[in-house]
Amino acid sequence: MKSPTPYRWIVRLRCLALCVAWTMFAMPAMAALDADLVKPLGSDDSDQKVAAIAKLGTLATPEAIALLKALRDETVYVTAEGRVLVVDADSNAVDPITDEKLALPDGSDNIVINNRLRGALDAADSGLQLLSPEVAKRRAAAHALEQEADPAQLPLLQRALAKETDAEARESLVLTTSALELKSPDPALRRTAAERLSESSSASVRPLLAALAEPDAQGHYAEPDPQVRSAAAISLRAVNGRVTRAEYLGNAFYGISLASILLLAALGLAITFGLMGIINMAHGELLMIGAYSTYLVQSVFRQFFPAAIEWYLLAAVPVAFIVASLIGMALERSVIRWLYGRPLETLLATWGISLILQQAVRSLFGAQNVEVSNPAWMSGGITIMGGVVVAWNRIMIIGFAALVLLLVWILLNRTRLGLFVRAVTQNRRMADCVGVPTGRVDMLTFGLGSGIAGLGGVALSQLGNVGPDLGQSYIVDSFMVVVLGGVGQLAGTVIAAIGLGEVNKFLEPVAGAVLGKIIILVVIVLFIQKRPQGLFALKGRSVD
């Protein structure tokens, strides 16, 4: 038998194509959606409607997605016979079961979406977003389903969990899927869900596992199967250990964040207090001035440079430093220079100056707080260990504090002004005898300390609202850092700031914010009784 020629093969392929085309266009259309899914939407029972919406959301087909969108747009109607129809843009009614187009019958009512049905539609939309190729959409959908997942969505959640590669989205999917599986009548499925939750780092998992593993007040277990209870107990211990480690890590990070603020607030105070022995109670108001300078720069950018508003903070840094420095030098030349060697009078004078500065700010900006927004590149954060959110603005502030510390160290140890400052700090009279202009050094040093306080105000403006009383919250802590670290000692100031920040954050959950500060203050007082010079003693002969 001869093999067919190429021409015969071409004829056969053409015939096959015609058959396929006839099958597609001549045969009756297949049903787009199953009738058992669509008909409950026309029911008067809200439970049936919610269940139908949840099932449609699990299909993830174009027809199901289109019907869900029509429901949200309230373009789905029910005829007097209970037939569900979708009205398209041309006002034609389409049967989603048969794809038949017809005129909308008289007496048809559209399905009104109430809050309960809207919530079911939101949950269905979140379920569909789980299959999106964009990671951000999958994360948002997984987080949303933690609160509103429906048992009918369990197959879709299991399918999404099997494909998910993003750690954050997978964490949420594990929690949601396991929470639904724990309600299953199958003990094996409940045990698998309990074992899977052992990988979670979320504190919200603990109530789910505790309800299975621990008895109630009467000694009764909600979980009848002992194997499921055992698996839940093992997972609960694993989650508790992981959450505890995450809490310690979070406290350590926020302790460093607080330490960076304390360092910026106390760094200038350590320089001025160490050099001149001035108890500057207006130092907190210099922080406030730096924060309000940031607010003004933000307002100028919004008014004149809206396209560059995301970079206003970079311009605010030098502005805040210069403004606070000029005010500090003006205070030193006008008031403080006449009070050297008289600490009590200095304390009272600077306290009065602080009240004047507060009232001046109230007169200019009002008594209410003003808002300083974070730039986009400082918004959000990083989630680590499943539950610790490391905010970008705090990370930036920690880096900013480290940069300011480095610049201050370079200025004090590698510049002529720094040499003069160290000379005056160690022996003012001898420095004056060898030609050091001590009066000018005092002014510049006070301006430097005030400018650093202004930089601290820039950092504080990124953590909350700015108000006239902003600096009062940090003046006591700043003095504690200076006294504990050692007057005029840069290294001591850094160590004291880190120590106070960490101790404060670890004490707050145990003793509370107020009692924690009292405990810290008592410990510092006892420490100073034993070591009056602080952690690091001042070298040389300091006079006056």
Side-chain angles (χ1 to χ4, degrees):
M1 182 177 180
K2 293 183 180 180
S3 60
T5 63
Y7 176 77
R8 290 179 180 176
W9 277 111
I10 294 174
V11 173
R12 291 180 183 180
L13 289 174
R14 287 179 178 176
C15 291
L16 179 61
L18 289 173
C19 291
V20 171
W22 181 87
T23 301
M24 293 177 61
F25 298 104
M27 290 181 67
M30 298 289 289
L33 289 171
D34 189 83
D36 294 335
L37 290 178
V38 178
K39 287 183 178 180
L41 295 175
S43 171
D44 294 331
D45 189 349
S46 296
D47 292 336
Q48 293 186 18
K49 290 181 181 178
V50 170
I53 290 173
K55 291 178 181 177
L56 286 170
T58 62
L59 294 180
T61 61
E63 295 81 9
I65 295 173
L67 182 55
L68 290 173
K69 184 179 183 302
L71 281 169
R72 187 179 290 277
D73 296 337
E74 297 190 359
T75 58
V76 180
Y77 286 74
V78 182
T79 65
E81 295 80 16
R83 187 177 183 184
V84 177
L85 300 174
V86 178
V87 177
D88 60 16
D90 298 327
S91 299
N92 295 321
V94 180
D95 190 328
I97 301 175
T98 63
D99 277 345
E100 177 187 358
K101 289 187 177 182
L102 65 158
L104 184 66
D106 295 334
S108 300
D109 295 325
N110 70 318
I111 299 177
V112 179
I113 303 301
N114 55 27
N115 289 337
R116 187 182 179 193
L117 295 181
R118 189 172 292 108
L121 286 171
D122 291 340
D125 289 343
S126 298
L128 294 173
Q129 293 294 334
L130 292 176
L131 305 176
S132 171
E134 299 181 22
V135 174
K137 290 184 177 180
R138 298 202 306 273
R139 288 180 180 176
H143 289 313
L145 285 172
E146 289 184 21
Q147 306 297 328
E148 55 188 18
D150 190 277
Q153 294 177 300
L154 184 57
L156 178 63
L157 288 168
Q158 292 171 334
R159 190 183 354 153
L161 180 61
K163 297 179 179 179
E164 187 56 64
T165 56
D166 180 70
E168 183 178 341
R170 185 175 181 81
E171 174 78 16
S172 297
L173 285 175
V174 166
L175 176 60
T176 307
T177 305
S178 300
L180 293 176
E181 290 176 346
L182 288 175
K183 301 175 183 178
S184 170
D186 184 5
L189 187 59
R190 297 200 303 272
R191 185 173 66 253
T192 302
E195 292 172 349
R196 187 191 300 126
L197 286 176
S198 66
E199 304 173 1
S200 177
S201 301
S202 175
S204 59
V205 171
R206 293 191 288 187
L208 293 175
L209 294 173
L212 300 176
E214 299 174 356
D216 56 17
Q218 289 75 31
H220 300 144
Y221 287 94
E223 172 54 54
D225 191 283
Q227 293 184 344
V228 177
R229 292 202 300 267
S230 176
I234 295 172
S235 296
L236 181 60
R237 287 194 295 271
V239 172
N240 281 336
R242 198 173 290 113
V243 169
T244 301
R245 290 192 295 272
E247 290 175 351
Y248 278 120
L249 182 61
N251 287 335
F253 170 74
Y254 284 103
I256 295 175
S257 175
L258 176 60
S260 65
I261 297 297
L262 293 178
L263 179 62
L264 289 172
L267 199 55
L269 192 62
I271 296 172
T272 56
F273 192 27
L275 175 65
M276 294 172 282
I278 299 298
I279 304 175
N280 183 14
M281 296 301 295
H283 191 77
E285 278 55 54
L286 295 170
L287 289 167
M288 175 197 66
I289 288 170
Y292 272 100
S293 299
T294 307
Y295 168 71
L296 286 176
V297 172
Q298 175 190 254
S299 301
V300 169
F301 268 69
R302 283 178 175 173
Q303 181 71 25
F304 300 103
F305 312 104
I309 187 63
E310 295 299 333
W311 306 105
Y312 83 90
L313 196 60
L314 299 182
V317 170
V319 171
F321 181 84
I322 293 171
V323 171
S325 296
L326 292 176
I327 292 177
M329 287 189 288
L331 292 177
E332 195 277 336
R333 289 286 89 182
S334 60
V335 178
I336 296 174
R337 66 176 297 190
W338 311 106
L339 301 175
Y340 291 147
R342 298 156 62 185
L344 182 59
E345 287 86 345
T346 304
L347 186 149
L348 293 175
T350 54
W351 179 61
I353 291 171
S354 72
L355 296 180
I356 293 172
L357 291 175
Q358 287 183 44
Q359 190 56 46
V361 168
R362 288 191 181 96
S363 301
L364 290 173
F365 300 98
Q368 300 298 322
N369 292 346
V370 297
E371 181 184 0
V372 180
S373 60
N374 293 126
W377 47 273
M378 285 183 66
S379 302
I382 306 172
T383 302
I384 59 176
M385 293 187 68
V388 180
V389 179
V390 180
W392 277 115
N393 59 346
R394 293 186 177 272
I395 295 175
M396 295 294 180
I397 289 173
I398 292 172
F400 179 64
L403 177 61
V404 171
L405 177 63
L406 176 62
L407 294 177
V408 170
W409 182 87
I410 292 174
L411 187 145
L412 292 179
N413 293 276
R414 294 291 186 270
T415 66
R416 186 177 181 82
L417 175 61
L419 178 64
F420 287 170
V421 169
R422 287 183 285 120
V424 174
T425 302
Q426 293 179 17
N427 196 318
R428 174 181 291 272
R429 290 182 180 177
M430 182 58 69
D432 195 16
C433 290
V434 297
V436 175
T438 55
R440 186 184 302 171
V441 170
D442 289 339
M443 180 187 68
L444 293 176
T445 304
F446 203 87
L448 173 63
S450 301
I452 295 172
L455 296 179
V458 176
L460 286 175
S461 69
Q462 301 303 301
L463 298 179
N465 291 331
V466 176
D469 300 326
L470 175 66
Q472 294 297 308
S473 304
Y474 293 91
I475 186 65
V476 175
D477 290 336
S478 299
F479 273 107
M480 285 197 297
V481 169
V482 172
V483 173
L484 180 61
V487 176
Q489 294 298 305
L490 205 59
T493 303
V494 175
I495 295 173
I498 295 175
L500 286 178
E502 292 292 347
V503 171
N504 192 46
K505 284 302 178 182
F506 277 96
L507 271 180
E508 276 185 4
V510 179
V514 177
L515 184 58
K517 285 188 177 295
I518 294 174
I519 294 173
I520 292 173
L521 182 59
V522 170
V523 171
I524 290 177
V525 169
L526 294 176
F527 177 80
I528 296 301
Q529 292 292 323
K530 297 293 184 182
R531 190 176 174 85
Q533 69 272 27
L535 293 174
F536 293 87
L538 190 64
K539 297 180 181 180
R541 292 185 299 168
S542 182
V543 186
D544 296 334

Coordinates of all heavy atoms in Angstrom, one line a residue, residues 324-383:
A324 N 18.7 76.2 64.7 CA 19.0 75.9 66.1 C 20.4 76.4 66.6 O 20.5 76.9 67.7 CB 18.9 74.4 66.3
S325 N 21.4 76.4 65.7 CA 22.7 76.9 66.0 C 22.7 78.4 66.2 O 23.2 78.9 67.2 CB 23.7 76.5 64.9 OG 23.9 75.2 64.8
L326 N 22.0 79.1 65.4 CA 21.9 80.6 65.5 C 21.2 81.0 66.8 O 21.6 81.9 67.5 CB 21.2 81.2 64.3 CG 22.0 81.1 62.9 CD1 21.1 81.6 61.8 CD2 23.3 81.8 63.0
I327 N 20.1 80.3 67.1 CA 19.4 80.6 68.3 C 20.3 80.2 69.5 O 20.3 81.0 70.5 CB 18.0 79.8 68.3 CG1 17.1 80.3 67.3 CG2 17.4 79.9 69.7 CD1 15.8 79.6 67.2
G328 N 21.0 79.1 69.5 CA 21.8 78.8 70.6 C 22.9 79.8 70.8 O 23.2 80.2 71.9
M329 N 23.6 80.2 69.7 CA 24.7 81.2 69.8 C 24.1 82.5 70.3 O 24.8 83.2 71.1 CB 25.4 81.4 68.5 CG 26.3 80.2 68.1 SD 27.3 80.5 66.7 CE 26.1 80.4 65.4
A330 N 22.9 82.9 69.9 CA 22.3 84.1 70.4 C 22.0 84.0 71.9 O 22.3 85.0 72.6 CB 21.0 84.4 69.6
L331 N 21.6 82.9 72.4 CA 21.3 82.7 73.8 C 22.6 82.8 74.6 O 22.7 83.4 75.7 CB 20.6 81.4 74.0 CG 19.2 81.3 73.5 CD1 18.7 79.8 73.8 CD2 18.3 82.3 74.2
E332 N 23.7 82.2 74.0 CA 24.9 82.2 74.7 C 25.5 83.6 74.8 O 26.0 84.0 75.9 CB 25.9 81.3 74.0 CG 27.2 80.9 74.8 CD 28.2 82.0 74.7 OE1 28.2 82.7 73.7 OE2 29.1 82.0 75.7
R333 N 25.4 84.4 73.7 CA 26.0 85.7 73.8 C 25.2 86.7 74.6 O 25.7 87.6 75.2 CB 26.1 86.3 72.3 CG 27.1 85.6 71.4 CD 28.5 86.1 71.8 NE 29.1 85.2 72.8 CZ 30.3 85.4 73.3 NH1 31.1 86.4 72.9 NH2 30.8 84.6 74.2
S334 N 23.9 86.5 74.7 CA 23.0 87.4 75.3 C 22.8 87.1 76.8 O 22.6 88.0 77.6 CB 21.7 87.5 74.6 OG 21.0 86.3 74.6
V335 N 22.7 85.8 77.2 CA 22.3 85.5 78.6 C 23.3 84.6 79.2 O 23.8 84.9 80.3 CB 20.9 84.8 78.6 CG1 20.5 84.3 80.0 CG2 19.8 85.7 78.0
I336 N 23.7 83.5 78.6 CA 24.4 82.5 79.3 C 25.9 82.9 79.6 O 26.4 82.5 80.6 CB 24.4 81.2 78.5 CG1 23.0 80.7 78.4 CG2 25.3 80.1 79.0 CD1 22.8 79.5 77.5
R337 N 26.5 83.7 78.8 CA 27.9 84.1 79.0 C 28.1 84.9 80.3 O 29.2 84.9 80.8 CB 28.4 85.0 77.8 CG 27.7 86.3 77.7 CD 28.3 87.2 76.6 NE 29.7 87.5 76.8 CZ 30.4 88.3 76.1 NH1 29.8 89.0 75.1 NH2 31.6 88.5 76.4
W338 N 27.0 85.5 80.8 CA 27.1 86.2 82.1 C 26.9 85.3 83.3 O 27.0 85.8 84.4 CB 26.1 87.3 82.1 CG 26.1 88.2 80.9 CD1 25.2 88.2 79.9 CD2 27.1 89.1 80.5 NE1 25.5 89.0 78.9 CE2 26.7 89.7 79.2 CE3 28.3 89.6 81.1 CZ2 27.5 90.6 78.6 CZ3 29.0 90.5 80.4 CH2 28.6 91.1 79.2
L339 N 26.6 84.0 83.1 CA 26.3 83.2 84.2 C 27.3 82.0 84.4 O 26.9 81.0 85.1 CB 24.9 82.6 84.0 CG 23.7 83.7 83.9 CD1 22.4 83.0 83.6 CD2 23.6 84.5 85.2
Y340 N 28.4 82.0 83.7 CA 29.4 81.0 83.9 C 29.8 80.9 85.4 O 30.1 81.9 86.0 CB 30.6 81.2 83.0 CG 30.3 81.0 81.5 CD1 31.0 81.8 80.6 CD2 29.4 80.1 81.1 CE1 30.8 81.6 79.2 CE2 29.1 80.0 79.7 CZ 29.8 80.7 78.8 OH 29.5 80.6 77.5
G341 N 29.9 79.6 85.9 CA 30.3 79.4 87.2 C 29.2 79.6 88.2 O 29.4 79.5 89.4
R342 N 28.0 79.8 87.8 CA 26.8 80.0 88.7 C 25.7 79.1 88.2 O 24.8 79.4 87.5 CB 26.3 81.5 88.6 CG 27.4 82.4 89.1 CD 27.2 83.8 88.6 NE 26.0 84.4 89.0 CZ 25.5 85.6 88.5 NH1 26.3 86.3 87.6 NH2 24.4 86.1 88.9
P343 N 25.8 77.8 88.5 CA 24.9 76.8 88.0 C 23.4 77.0 88.3 O 22.5 76.7 87.5 CB 25.4 75.4 88.5 CG 26.3 75.8 89.7 CD 26.8 77.2 89.4
L344 N 23.1 77.4 89.6 CA 21.7 77.6 89.9 C 21.1 78.7 89.1 O 20.0 78.6 88.6 CB 21.7 77.9 91.4 CG 20.2 78.1 92.0 CD1 19.4 76.8 91.7 CD2 20.2 78.4 93.5
E345 N 21.8 79.8 89.0 CA 21.3 80.9 88.2 C 21.1 80.5 86.7 O 20.1 80.9 86.0 CB 22.2 82.2 88.3 CG 22.1 82.9 89.6 CD 23.1 82.3 90.6 OE1 23.5 81.2 90.4 OE2 23.3 83.0 91.6
T346 N 22.0 79.7 86.2 CA 21.9 79.2 84.8 C 20.7 78.3 84.7 O 20.0 78.4 83.6 CB 23.2 78.4 84.5 OG1 24.3 79.2 84.7 CG2 23.2 78.0 83.0
L347 N 20.5 77.5 85.6 CA 19.3 76.6 85.6 C 18.0 77.4 85.5 O 17.1 77.2 84.7 CB 19.3 75.6 86.8 CG 18.2 74.5 86.8 CD1 18.8 73.3 87.5 CD2 16.9 75.0 87.5
L348 N 17.9 78.4 86.4 CA 16.7 79.2 86.4 C 16.5 80.0 85.1 O 15.4 80.2 84.6 CB 16.7 80.1 87.6 CG 16.6 79.4 89.0 CD1 16.8 80.4 90.1 CD2 15.3 78.7 89.1
A349 N 17.6 80.6 84.7 CA 17.6 81.4 83.5 C 17.2 80.6 82.2 O 16.3 81.1 81.4 CB 18.9 82.1 83.2
T350 N 17.8 79.5 82.0 CA 17.5 78.6 80.9 C 16.1 78.1 81.0 O 15.4 77.9 80.0 CB 18.5 77.5 80.7 OG1 18.6 76.8 81.9 CG2 19.9 78.1 80.4
W351 N 15.6 77.8 82.2 CA 14.2 77.4 82.4 C 13.3 78.5 81.9 O 12.3 78.2 81.2 CB 14.0 77.0 83.8 CG 12.5 76.5 84.0 CD1 11.9 75.5 83.5 CD2 11.6 77.2 84.9 NE1 10.6 75.4 83.9 CE2 10.4 76.4 84.8 CE3 11.6 78.3 85.7 CZ2 9.2 76.7 85.5 CZ3 10.5 78.6 86.5 CH2 9.3 77.9 86.3
G352 N 13.6 79.7 82.3 CA 12.7 80.8 81.8 C 12.8 81.0 80.3 O 11.8 81.3 79.6
I353 N 14.0 80.8 79.7 CA 14.1 80.8 78.2 C 13.3 79.7 77.6 O 12.7 80.0 76.5 CB 15.6 80.7 77.9 CG1 16.4 81.9 78.3 CG2 15.8 80.5 76.3 CD1 17.9 81.8 78.1
S354 N 13.3 78.6 78.2 CA 12.4 77.5 77.6 C 11.0 77.9 77.6 O 10.3 77.6 76.6 CB 12.6 76.2 78.4 OG 12.0 76.3 79.7
L355 N 10.5 78.5 78.6 CA 9.1 79.0 78.6 C 8.8 80.0 77.6 O 7.8 80.0 76.9 CB 8.7 79.5 80.0 CG 8.8 78.5 81.2 CD1 8.4 79.2 82.5 CD2 7.9 77.3 80.9
I356 N 9.8 80.9 77.4 CA 9.6 82.0 76.4 C 9.6 81.3 75.0 O 8.8 81.7 74.1 CB 10.8 83.0 76.5 CG1 10.7 83.7 77.8 CG2 10.8 83.9 75.3 CD1 11.9 84.6 78.1
L357 N 10.5 80.4 74.7 CA 10.5 79.7 73.4 C 9.2 78.9 73.1 O 8.7 79.0 72.0 CB 11.7 78.8 73.3 CG 13.1 79.5 73.2 CD1 14.2 78.4 73.3 CD2 13.2 80.4 72.0
Q358 N 8.7 78.3 74.1 CA 7.4 77.5 74.0 C 6.3 78.5 73.6 O 5.5 78.2 72.7 CB 7.1 76.8 75.3 CG 8.0 75.6 75.5 CD 7.5 74.8 76.8 OE1 6.3 74.6 77.0 NE2 8.5 74.4 77.6
Q359 N 6.2 79.6 74.4 CA 5.1 80.6 74.1 C 5.3 81.2 72.7 O 4.3 81.5 72.0 CB 5.1 81.6 75.2 CG 3.9 82.5 75.1 CD 2.6 81.7 75.2 OE1 2.4 80.8 76.0 NE2 1.7 82.1 74.3
A360 N 6.5 81.4 72.3 CA 6.8 82.0 71.0 C 6.3 81.1 69.9 O 5.6 81.5 68.9 CB 8.2 82.3 70.8
V361 N 6.5 79.8 70.1 CA 6.1 78.8 69.1 C 4.5 78.7 69.1 O 3.9 78.6 68.0 CB 6.7 77.4 69.4 CG1 6.0 76.3 68.6 CG2 8.2 77.5 69.1
R362 N 3.9 78.8 70.3 CA 2.5 78.8 70.3 C 1.9 80.0 69.6 O 0.8 79.9 69.0 CB 2.0 78.8 71.8 CG 2.2 77.4 72.5 CD 1.5 77.4 73.9 NE 1.7 76.1 74.5 CZ 2.7 76.0 75.4 NH1 3.5 77.0 75.8 NH2 2.8 74.8 76.0
S363 N 2.5 81.1 69.8 CA 2.0 82.3 69.1 C 2.2 82.3 67.6 O 1.3 82.8 66.9 CB 2.8 83.6 69.6 OG 2.6 83.7 71.0
L364 N 3.2 81.6 67.1 CA 3.5 81.6 65.7 C 2.7 80.4 65.0 O 2.1 80.6 63.9 CB 5.0 81.4 65.4 CG 5.9 82.6 65.7 CD1 7.3 82.2 65.6 CD2 5.5 83.7 64.8
F365 N 2.7 79.3 65.6 CA 2.1 78.1 65.0 C 0.8 77.6 65.6 O 0.2 76.7 65.1 CB 3.1 76.9 65.0 CG 4.4 77.3 64.2 CD1 5.5 77.7 64.9 CD2 4.5 77.2 62.9 CE1 6.7 78.0 64.3 CE2 5.6 77.5 62.2 CZ 6.7 77.9 62.9
G366 N 0.4 78.2 66.8 CA -0.8 77.7 67.5 C -0.4 76.6 68.5 O 0.7 76.0 68.5
A367 N -1.4 76.4 69.4 CA -1.1 75.4 70.5 C -1.3 74.0 70.0 O -0.8 73.1 70.7 CB -2.1 75.7 71.7
Q368 N -2.0 73.8 68.9 CA -2.2 72.4 68.4 C -1.0 71.8 67.7 O -0.1 72.6 67.2 CB -3.4 72.4 67.4 CG -4.7 72.9 68.0 CD -5.2 72.0 69.2 OE1 -5.0 70.8 69.1 NE2 -5.7 72.6 70.2
N369 N -0.9 70.5 67.8 CA 0.3 69.9 67.1 C 0.1 70.0 65.6 O -1.0 70.2 65.0 CB 0.3 68.4 67.4 CG 0.7 68.1 68.9 OD1 1.1 69.0 69.6 ND2 0.5 66.9 69.3
V370 N 1.3 70.0 64.9 CA 1.3 70.1 63.4 C 1.8 68.7 62.9 O 2.6 68.1 63.6 CB 2.1 71.2 62.9 CG1 1.5 72.6 63.3 CG2 3.6 71.2 63.4
E371 N 1.4 68.4 61.7 CA 1.8 67.1 61.2 C 3.0 67.2 60.2 O 3.0 68.1 59.3 CB 0.7 66.4 60.5 CG 1.0 65.1 59.9 CD -0.2 64.5 59.1 OE1 -1.2 65.2 59.0 OE2 0.0 63.4 58.5
V372 N 4.0 66.4 60.4 CA 5.1 66.3 59.5 C 5.1 64.9 58.9 O 5.3 63.9 59.7 CB 6.5 66.6 60.2 CG1 7.6 66.5 59.2 CG2 6.5 68.0 60.8
S373 N 4.8 64.8 57.7 CA 4.6 63.5 57.1 C 6.0 62.8 56.7 O 7.0 63.5 56.4 CB 3.8 63.6 55.8 OG 4.4 64.4 54.9
N374 N 6.0 61.5 56.7 CA 7.2 60.8 56.3 C 7.3 60.7 54.8 O 6.2 60.5 54.1 CB 7.1 59.3 56.8 CG 7.3 59.2 58.3 OD1 6.4 58.6 58.9 ND2 8.3 59.8 58.8
P375 N 8.4 60.9 54.2 CA 8.6 60.7 52.7 C 8.3 59.3 52.4 O 8.3 58.4 53.3 CB 10.0 61.1 52.5 CG 10.5 61.9 53.6 CD 9.7 61.4 54.8
A376 N 8.0 59.0 51.1 CA 7.6 57.7 50.7 C 8.7 56.7 51.0 O 8.5 55.5 51.3 CB 7.2 57.6 49.2
W377 N 10.0 57.1 50.8 CA 11.1 56.2 51.0 C 11.4 55.9 52.5 O 12.3 55.1 52.8 CB 12.4 56.8 50.3 CG 12.7 58.2 50.6 CD1 12.2 59.3 50.0 CD2 13.5 58.7 51.7 NE1 12.7 60.5 50.5 CE2 13.5 60.2 51.6 CE3 14.3 58.2 52.6 CZ2 14.2 61.0 52.4 CZ3 15.0 59.0 53.5 CH2 15.0 60.4 53.4
M378 N 10.7 56.6 53.4 CA 10.8 56.3 54.8 C 9.5 55.6 55.4 O 9.4 55.4 56.6 CB 11.1 57.5 55.6 CG 12.5 58.0 55.5 SD 12.9 59.5 56.5 CE 12.8 58.8 58.2
S379 N 8.6 55.3 54.5 CA 7.3 54.8 55.0 C 7.4 53.2 54.9 O 8.2 52.7 54.2 CB 6.1 55.3 54.1 OG 6.1 56.7 54.2
G380 N 6.5 52.6 55.6 CA 6.4 51.1 55.6 C 7.5 50.5 56.5 O 8.1 51.2 57.4
G381 N 7.8 49.3 56.3 CA 8.8 48.6 57.1 C 9.1 47.2 56.6 O 8.6 46.8 55.5
I382 N 9.9 46.5 57.3 CA 10.2 45.1 57.0 C 9.7 44.2 58.1 O 9.9 44.5 59.3 CB 11.8 45.0 56.8 CG1 12.3 46.0 55.8 CG2 12.2 43.6 56.4 CD1 13.8 46.0 55.8
T383 N 9.1 43.1 57.7 CA 8.6 42.1 58.7 C 9.6 41.0 58.8 O 9.9 40.4 57.8 CB 7.2 41.6 58.3 OG1 6.3 42.7 58.1 CG2 6.7 40.6 59.3

